[in-house]
CSV table of all heavy atoms in Angstrom, one decimal:
chain,number,residue,atom,x,y,z
A,401,ASP,N,5.7,-23.5,4.0
A,401,ASP,CA,5.8,-24.1,5.2
A,401,ASP,C,4.3,-24.4,5.8
A,401,ASP,O,3.7,-23.5,6.3
A,401,ASP,CB,6.5,-23.2,6.3
A,401,ASP,CG,6.8,-23.9,7.6
A,401,ASP,OD1,6.3,-25.1,7.8
A,401,ASP,OD2,7.4,-23.3,8.6
A,402,ASP,N,4.0,-25.6,5.6
A,402,ASP,CA,2.6,-25.9,6.1
A,402,ASP,C,2.4,-25.9,7.6
A,402,ASP,O,1.1,-25.8,8.0
A,402,ASP,CB,2.2,-27.3,5.4
A,402,ASP,CG,2.1,-27.4,4.0
A,402,ASP,OD1,1.7,-26.4,3.3
A,402,ASP,OD2,2.5,-28.4,3.4
A,403,ASN,N,3.5,-25.9,8.3
A,403,ASN,CA,3.2,-26.0,9.8
A,403,ASN,C,3.2,-24.5,10.4
A,403,ASN,O,3.2,-24.5,11.5
A,403,ASN,CB,4.4,-26.7,10.4
A,403,ASN,CG,4.4,-28.2,9.9
A,403,ASN,OD1,3.4,-28.8,9.8
A,403,ASN,ND2,5.6,-28.8,9.6
A,404,ASN,N,3.4,-23.5,9.6
A,404,ASN,CA,3.5,-22.1,10.2
A,404,ASN,C,2.8,-21.2,9.2
A,404,ASN,O,3.4,-20.2,8.7
A,404,ASN,CB,5.0,-21.9,10.3
A,404,ASN,CG,5.1,-20.6,11.1
A,404,ASN,OD1,4.3,-20.1,12.0
A,404,ASN,ND2,6.3,-20.1,11.0
A,405,GLU,N,1.6,-21.5,8.9
A,405,GLU,CA,0.9,-20.8,7.8
A,405,GLU,C,0.7,-19.3,7.9
A,405,GLU,O,1.2,-18.5,7.1
A,405,GLU,CB,-0.5,-21.3,7.5
A,405,GLU,CG,-1.2,-20.8,6.4
A,405,GLU,CD,-2.6,-21.4,6.0
A,405,GLU,OE1,-3.6,-20.8,6.8
A,405,GLU,OE2,-2.7,-22.3,5.3
A,406,ILE,N,0.3,-18.8,9.1
A,406,ILE,CA,0.1,-17.4,9.3
A,406,ILE,C,1.3,-16.6,9.4
A,406,ILE,O,1.3,-15.7,8.6
A,406,ILE,CB,-0.9,-17.3,10.6
A,406,ILE,CG1,-2.2,-17.9,10.5
A,406,ILE,CG2,-1.0,-15.8,10.9
A,406,ILE,CD1,-3.2,-17.9,11.7
A,407,ASP,N,2.3,-17.0,10.2
A,407,ASP,CA,3.4,-16.3,10.3
A,407,ASP,C,4.2,-16.1,9.0
A,407,ASP,O,5.0,-15.3,8.8
A,407,ASP,CB,4.4,-16.8,11.3
A,407,ASP,CG,3.9,-16.3,12.9
A,407,ASP,OD1,3.0,-15.4,12.8
A,407,ASP,OD2,4.4,-16.9,13.8
A,408,SER,N,4.1,-17.2,8.3
A,408,SER,CA,5.0,-17.3,7.0
A,408,SER,C,4.1,-16.6,5.8
A,408,SER,O,4.7,-16.7,4.6
A,408,SER,CB,5.3,-18.6,6.6
A,408,SER,OG,4.1,-19.6,6.4
A,409,GLY,N,3.1,-16.1,6.0
A,409,GLY,CA,2.3,-15.4,4.9
A,409,GLY,C,3.0,-14.3,4.3
A,409,GLY,O,3.7,-13.6,5.0
A,410,ILE,N,2.9,-14.2,3.0
A,410,ILE,CA,3.5,-13.0,2.3
A,410,ILE,C,2.7,-11.7,2.5
A,410,ILE,O,1.6,-11.5,2.0
A,410,ILE,CB,3.7,-13.3,0.8
A,410,ILE,CG1,4.4,-14.8,0.6
A,410,ILE,CG2,4.5,-12.3,0.0
A,410,ILE,CD1,5.8,-14.9,1.1
A,411,ASN,N,3.3,-10.9,3.2
A,411,ASN,CA,2.4,-9.6,3.5
A,411,ASN,C,2.9,-8.4,2.8
A,411,ASN,O,2.4,-7.3,2.7
A,411,ASN,CB,2.5,-9.3,5.0
A,411,ASN,CG,3.9,-9.0,5.6
A,411,ASN,OD1,4.9,-9.4,4.9
A,411,ASN,ND2,4.0,-8.6,6.8
A,412,ASN,N,4.1,-8.5,2.0
A,412,ASN,CA,4.6,-7.4,1.1
A,412,ASN,C,5.3,-7.9,0.0
A,412,ASN,O,6.1,-8.8,0.2
A,412,ASN,CB,5.6,-6.5,2.0
A,412,ASN,CG,4.9,-5.7,3.2
A,412,ASN,OD1,4.1,-4.6,2.9
A,412,ASN,ND2,5.1,-6.1,4.4
A,413,LEU,N,5.1,-7.3,-1.1
A,413,LEU,CA,5.8,-7.6,-2.4
A,413,LEU,C,6.1,-6.2,-3.0
A,413,LEU,O,5.4,-5.3,-3.1
A,413,LEU,CB,4.9,-8.2,-3.4
A,413,LEU,CG,4.7,-9.7,-3.1
A,413,LEU,CD1,3.5,-10.2,-4.2
A,413,LEU,CD2,5.8,-10.6,-3.1
A,414,LYS,N,7.5,-6.1,-3.3
A,414,LYS,CA,8.1,-4.7,-3.8
A,414,LYS,C,9.0,-5.1,-5.0
A,414,LYS,O,9.7,-6.0,-5.0
A,414,LYS,CB,8.8,-3.9,-2.8
A,414,LYS,CG,7.9,-3.6,-1.7
A,414,LYS,CD,6.8,-2.7,-2.1
A,414,LYS,CE,5.7,-2.2,-1.0
A,414,LYS,NZ,4.7,-1.3,-1.5
A,415,ASN,N,9.1,-4.2,-6.0
A,415,ASN,CA,10.1,-4.3,-7.0
A,415,ASN,C,11.5,-3.8,-6.6
A,415,ASN,O,11.5,-3.0,-5.7
A,415,ASN,CB,9.6,-3.4,-8.2
A,415,ASN,CG,8.5,-3.9,-8.9
A,415,ASN,OD1,8.4,-5.1,-9.4
A,415,ASN,ND2,7.4,-3.1,-8.8
A,416,VAL,N,12.4,-4.4,-7.1
A,416,VAL,CA,13.8,-4.0,-7.0
A,416,VAL,C,14.2,-3.2,-8.0
A,416,VAL,O,14.5,-3.6,-9.2
A,416,VAL,CB,14.8,-5.1,-6.7
A,416,VAL,CG1,16.2,-4.7,-6.6
A,416,VAL,CG2,14.4,-6.0,-5.6
A,417,ASN,N,14.2,-1.8,-7.9
A,417,ASN,CA,14.6,-0.9,-9.0
A,417,ASN,C,15.9,-0.2,-8.7
A,417,ASN,O,15.9,0.8,-8.2
A,417,ASN,CB,13.5,0.2,-9.1
A,417,ASN,CG,12.2,-0.5,-9.5
A,417,ASN,OD1,12.2,-1.3,-10.4
A,417,ASN,ND2,11.1,0.0,-9.0
A,418,ILE,N,17.1,-0.9,-8.9
A,418,ILE,CA,18.4,-0.3,-8.8
A,418,ILE,C,18.7,0.6,-9.7
A,418,ILE,O,18.7,0.3,-10.9
A,418,ILE,CB,19.4,-1.5,-8.6
A,418,ILE,CG1,18.9,-2.5,-7.5
A,418,ILE,CG2,20.8,-1.0,-8.2
A,418,ILE,CD1,19.9,-3.7,-7.4
A,419,SER,N,19.2,1.9,-9.2
A,419,SER,CA,19.6,2.9,-10.3
A,419,SER,C,20.7,2.5,-11.2
A,419,SER,O,21.7,1.8,-10.8
A,419,SER,CB,20.0,4.1,-9.5
A,419,SER,OG,20.4,5.1,-10.3
A,420,GLY,N,20.3,2.6,-12.6
A,420,GLY,CA,21.4,2.2,-13.5
A,420,GLY,C,21.3,0.9,-14.0
A,420,GLY,O,22.1,0.5,-14.8
A,421,GLN,N,20.4,0.0,-13.4
A,421,GLN,CA,20.5,-1.4,-13.7
A,421,GLN,C,19.0,-1.7,-14.2
A,421,GLN,O,18.0,-1.2,-13.6
A,421,GLN,CB,20.7,-2.3,-12.5
A,421,GLN,CG,22.3,-2.0,-12.1
A,421,GLN,CD,22.6,-3.0,-10.9
A,421,GLN,OE1,22.0,-4.1,-10.8
A,421,GLN,NE2,23.5,-2.7,-10.1
A,422,ASN,N,18.9,-2.8,-15.1
A,422,ASN,CA,17.5,-3.2,-15.5
A,422,ASN,C,17.4,-4.4,-14.6
A,422,ASN,O,17.4,-5.6,-15.1
A,422,ASN,CB,17.7,-3.6,-17.0
A,422,ASN,CG,16.3,-4.0,-17.6
A,422,ASN,OD1,15.3,-3.7,-16.9
A,422,ASN,ND2,16.3,-4.8,-18.6
A,423,SER,N,16.8,-4.3,-13.4
A,423,SER,CA,16.7,-5.4,-12.5
A,423,SER,C,15.3,-6.0,-12.8
A,423,SER,O,14.3,-5.6,-13.3
A,423,SER,CB,16.5,-4.8,-11.1
A,423,SER,OG,16.2,-5.9,-10.2
A,424,SER,N,15.4,-7.4,-12.7
A,424,SER,CA,14.2,-8.2,-13.0
A,424,SER,C,13.9,-9.0,-11.6
A,424,SER,O,13.3,-10.0,-11.7
A,424,SER,CB,14.4,-9.3,-14.1
A,424,SER,OG,15.6,-10.0,-13.8
A,425,SER,N,14.2,-8.4,-10.5
A,425,SER,CA,13.9,-9.0,-9.1
A,425,SER,C,12.8,-8.4,-8.5
A,425,SER,O,12.6,-7.1,-8.5
A,425,SER,CB,15.3,-9.1,-8.4
A,425,SER,OG,16.2,-9.8,-9.1
A,426,ILE,N,12.4,-9.1,-7.5
A,426,ILE,CA,11.4,-8.6,-6.6
A,426,ILE,C,11.8,-9.0,-5.1
A,426,ILE,O,12.6,-9.9,-5.0
A,426,ILE,CB,9.9,-9.0,-6.7
A,426,ILE,CG1,9.8,-10.6,-6.6
A,426,ILE,CG2,9.4,-8.7,-8.1
A,426,ILE,CD1,8.4,-11.0,-6.4
A,427,VAL,N,11.3,-8.4,-4.1
A,427,VAL,CA,11.6,-8.7,-2.7
A,427,VAL,C,10.2,-9.0,-2.0
A,427,VAL,O,9.3,-8.1,-2.3
A,427,VAL,CB,12.4,-7.7,-2.0
A,427,VAL,CG1,11.7,-6.3,-1.9
A,427,VAL,CG2,12.8,-8.2,-0.6
A,428,ALA,N,10.1,-10.0,-1.3
A,428,ALA,CA,8.9,-10.5,-0.6
A,428,ALA,C,9.2,-10.6,0.9
A,428,ALA,O,10.3,-11.0,1.2
A,428,ALA,CB,8.4,-11.7,-1.2
A,429,SER,N,8.3,-10.1,1.7
A,429,SER,CA,8.4,-10.3,3.2
A,429,SER,C,7.4,-11.1,3.7
A,429,SER,O,6.2,-11.2,3.2
A,429,SER,CB,8.5,-9.0,3.9
A,429,SER,OG,7.2,-8.3,3.8
A,430,SER,N,7.6,-11.7,4.9
A,430,SER,CA,6.7,-12.4,5.6
A,430,SER,C,6.5,-11.9,7.0
A,430,SER,O,7.3,-11.2,7.4
A,430,SER,CB,7.0,-14.0,5.7
A,430,SER,OG,7.0,-14.5,4.4
A,431,PHE,N,5.3,-12.2,7.7
A,431,PHE,CA,5.2,-11.7,9.2
A,431,PHE,C,6.3,-12.1,10.0
A,431,PHE,O,6.8,-11.3,10.9
A,431,PHE,CB,3.9,-12.1,9.7
A,431,PHE,CG,2.7,-11.6,8.9
A,431,PHE,CD1,2.0,-12.5,8.1
A,431,PHE,CD2,2.2,-10.4,9.1
A,431,PHE,CE1,0.8,-12.0,7.4
A,431,PHE,CE2,1.2,-9.9,8.5
A,431,PHE,CZ,0.5,-10.8,7.6
A,432,ASN,N,6.9,-13.3,9.8
A,432,ASN,CA,7.8,-13.8,10.6
A,432,ASN,C,9.3,-13.3,10.5
A,432,ASN,O,10.3,-13.9,11.0
A,432,ASN,CB,7.9,-15.4,10.6
A,432,ASN,CG,8.2,-16.0,9.2
A,432,ASN,OD1,8.6,-15.2,8.3
A,432,ASN,ND2,8.0,-17.1,9.0
A,433,GLY,N,9.5,-12.2,9.5
A,433,GLY,CA,10.8,-11.7,9.3
A,433,GLY,C,11.5,-12.3,8.2
A,433,GLY,O,12.7,-11.9,8.0
A,434,LYS,N,11.0,-13.2,7.5
A,434,LYS,CA,11.7,-13.8,6.3
A,434,LYS,C,11.5,-12.8,5.1
A,434,LYS,O,10.5,-12.3,4.8
A,434,LYS,CB,11.0,-15.2,6.0
A,434,LYS,CG,11.6,-15.9,4.9
A,434,LYS,CD,11.0,-17.2,4.5
A,434,LYS,CE,11.5,-18.0,3.5
A,434,LYS,NZ,10.8,-19.3,3.3
A,435,LEU,N,12.7,-12.7,4.6
A,435,LEU,CA,12.8,-12.0,3.2
A,435,LEU,C,13.3,-12.8,2.1
A,435,LEU,O,14.1,-13.8,2.3
A,435,LEU,CB,13.7,-10.8,3.3
A,435,LEU,CG,13.5,-9.6,4.1
A,435,LEU,CD1,14.7,-8.7,4.3
A,435,LEU,CD2,12.3,-8.8,3.4
A,436,GLN,N,12.6,-12.6,0.9
A,436,GLN,CA,13.0,-13.4,-0.2
A,436,GLN,C,13.4,-12.4,-1.4
A,436,GLN,O,12.6,-11.5,-1.6
A,436,GLN,CB,11.9,-14.3,-0.7
A,436,GLN,CG,11.4,-15.4,0.3
A,436,GLN,CD,10.3,-16.2,-0.2
A,436,GLN,OE1,10.4,-16.8,-1.2
A,436,GLN,NE2,9.2,-16.3,0.5
A,437,LEU,N,14.4,-12.7,-2.1
A,437,LEU,CA,14.8,-12.0,-3.2
A,437,LEU,C,14.7,-13.0,-4.5
A,437,LEU,O,15.3,-13.9,-4.5
A,437,LEU,CB,16.4,-11.5,-3.1
A,437,LEU,CG,16.8,-10.5,-4.1
A,437,LEU,CD1,16.1,-9.1,-4.2
A,437,LEU,CD2,18.3,-10.2,-4.1
A,438,ILE,N,13.7,-12.5,-5.4
A,438,ILE,CA,13.4,-13.5,-6.3
A,438,ILE,C,13.6,-12.9,-7.8
A,438,ILE,O,13.2,-11.8,-8.1
A,438,ILE,CB,11.9,-13.9,-6.2
A,438,ILE,CG1,11.7,-14.4,-4.9
A,438,ILE,CG2,11.5,-14.9,-7.2
A,438,ILE,CD1,10.1,-14.5,-4.5
A,439,ASP,N,14.3,-13.6,-8.7
A,439,ASP,CA,14.4,-13.3,-10.0
A,439,ASP,C,13.0,-13.6,-10.6
A,439,ASP,O,12.5,-14.9,-10.7
A,439,ASP,CB,15.5,-14.2,-10.6
A,439,ASP,CG,15.9,-13.6,-12.1
A,439,ASP,OD1,14.8,-13.1,-12.9
A,439,ASP,OD2,17.0,-13.4,-12.5
A,440,THR,N,12.3,-12.7,-11.4
A,440,THR,CA,11.0,-13.0,-11.9
A,440,THR,C,10.9,-13.5,-13.3
A,440,THR,O,10.0,-13.8,-13.9
A,440,THR,CB,10.2,-11.6,-11.9
A,440,THR,OG1,10.9,-10.7,-12.5
A,440,THR,CG2,9.8,-11.2,-10.4
A,441,ARG,N,12.2,-13.7,-13.9
A,441,ARG,CA,12.3,-14.1,-15.3
A,441,ARG,C,12.1,-15.6,-15.3
A,441,ARG,O,12.9,-16.4,-14.9
A,441,ARG,CB,13.6,-13.7,-16.0
A,441,ARG,CG,13.8,-12.2,-16.1
A,441,ARG,CD,15.2,-11.9,-16.6
A,441,ARG,NE,16.2,-12.3,-15.6
A,441,ARG,CZ,17.5,-12.1,-15.7
A,441,ARG,NH1,18.1,-11.6,-16.8
A,441,ARG,NH2,18.3,-12.4,-14.7
A,442,GLN,N,10.8,-16.0,-15.9
A,442,GLN,CA,10.6,-17.4,-15.8
A,442,GLN,C,11.5,-18.2,-16.5
A,442,GLN,O,11.9,-19.4,-16.1
A,442,GLN,CB,9.2,-17.5,-16.3
A,442,GLN,CG,8.6,-19.0,-16.2
A,442,GLN,CD,7.1,-19.1,-16.6
A,442,GLN,OE1,6.8,-18.4,-17.5
A,442,GLN,NE2,6.5,-19.8,-16.0
A,443,SER,N,12.0,-17.7,-17.7
A,443,SER,CA,13.0,-18.5,-18.4
A,443,SER,C,14.2,-18.8,-17.7
A,443,SER,O,14.9,-19.9,-17.8
A,443,SER,CB,13.3,-17.8,-19.9
A,443,SER,OG,13.8,-16.6,-19.6
A,444,GLN,N,14.7,-17.8,-17.0
A,444,GLN,CA,16.0,-17.9,-16.2
A,444,GLN,C,15.7,-18.9,-15.1
A,444,GLN,O,16.5,-19.9,-14.8
A,444,GLN,CB,16.3,-16.6,-15.4
A,444,GLN,CG,16.9,-15.6,-16.4
A,444,GLN,CD,18.3,-15.9,-16.8
A,444,GLN,OE1,18.6,-16.5,-17.9
A,444,GLN,NE2,19.3,-15.7,-15.9
A,445,ARG,N,14.5,-18.9,-14.4
A,445,ARG,CA,14.2,-19.9,-13.4
A,445,ARG,C,14.2,-21.4,-13.9
A,445,ARG,O,14.8,-22.4,-13.3
A,445,ARG,CB,12.9,-19.6,-12.7
A,445,ARG,CG,12.9,-18.3,-11.9
A,445,ARG,CD,11.8,-18.1,-10.9
A,445,ARG,NE,10.5,-18.6,-11.5
A,445,ARG,CZ,9.7,-17.6,-12.1
A,445,ARG,NH1,10.1,-16.5,-12.1
A,445,ARG,NH2,8.6,-18.0,-12.6
A,446,GLN,N,13.6,-21.6,-15.2
A,446,GLN,CA,13.6,-22.8,-15.7
A,446,GLN,C,14.8,-23.3,-16.1
A,446,GLN,O,15.2,-24.6,-15.9
A,446,GLN,CB,12.5,-22.8,-16.8
A,446,GLN,CG,11.1,-22.5,-16.4
A,446,GLN,CD,10.1,-22.4,-17.6
A,446,GLN,OE1,10.5,-22.1,-18.7
A,446,GLN,NE2,8.9,-22.4,-17.2
A,447,GLN,N,15.7,-22.5,-16.8
A,447,GLN,CA,17.1,-23.0,-17.3
A,447,GLN,C,18.1,-23.2,-16.2
A,447,GLN,O,18.8,-24.2,-16.2
A,447,GLN,CB,17.5,-21.9,-18.3
A,447,GLN,CG,16.6,-21.8,-19.5
A,447,GLN,CD,17.1,-20.7,-20.4
A,447,GLN,OE1,18.1,-20.0,-20.2
A,447,GLN,NE2,16.4,-20.2,-21.4
A,448,GLN,N,18.0,-22.4,-15.2
A,448,GLN,CA,19.0,-22.5,-14.3
A,448,GLN,C,18.5,-22.9,-12.9
A,448,GLN,O,19.4,-23.1,-11.9
A,448,GLN,CB,19.7,-21.1,-14.0
A,448,GLN,CG,20.3,-20.4,-15.3
A,448,GLN,CD,20.8,-19.2,-15.0
A,448,GLN,OE1,21.2,-18.7,-13.9
A,448,GLN,NE2,21.0,-18.4,-16.0
A,449,LYS,N,17.2,-23.3,-12.8
A,449,LYS,CA,16.6,-23.8,-11.6
A,449,LYS,C,17.0,-22.9,-10.4
A,449,LYS,O,17.5,-23.3,-9.3
A,449,LYS,CB,17.0,-25.2,-11.2
A,449,LYS,CG,16.6,-26.1,-12.4
A,449,LYS,CD,16.9,-27.6,-12.0
A,449,LYS,CE,16.4,-28.6,-13.1
A,449,LYS,NZ,16.8,-30.0,-12.8
A,450,LEU,N,16.7,-21.5,-10.6
A,450,LEU,CA,17.1,-20.6,-9.6
A,450,LEU,C,16.2,-20.7,-8.4
A,450,LEU,O,14.9,-20.7,-8.6
A,450,LEU,CB,17.1,-19.1,-10.1
A,450,LEU,CG,18.1,-18.8,-11.2
A,450,LEU,CD1,17.9,-17.4,-11.9
A,450,LEU,CD2,19.5,-18.9,-10.8
Side-chain angles (χ1 to χ4, degrees):
D401 183 0
D402 295 327
N403 298 320
N404 194 19
E405 184 180 84
I406 294 179
D407 277 352
S408 61
I410 306 297
N411 61 348
N412 292 284
L413 288 171
K414 298 296 178 181
N415 292 298
V416 177
N417 297 320
I418 302 175
S419 180
Q421 297 184 25
N422 185 20
S423 175
S424 59
S425 297
I426 64 164
V427 61
S429 72
S430 300
F431 295 107
N432 59 10
K434 181 178 179 180
L435 283 173
Q436 300 180 56
L437 188 62
I438 304 168
D439 192 320
T440 57
R441 292 173 295 182
Q442 189 174 34
S443 58
Q444 285 287 100
R445 295 198 307 271
Q446 291 174 346
Q447 293 172 12
Q448 302 179 21
K449 296 183 179 180
L450 295 178

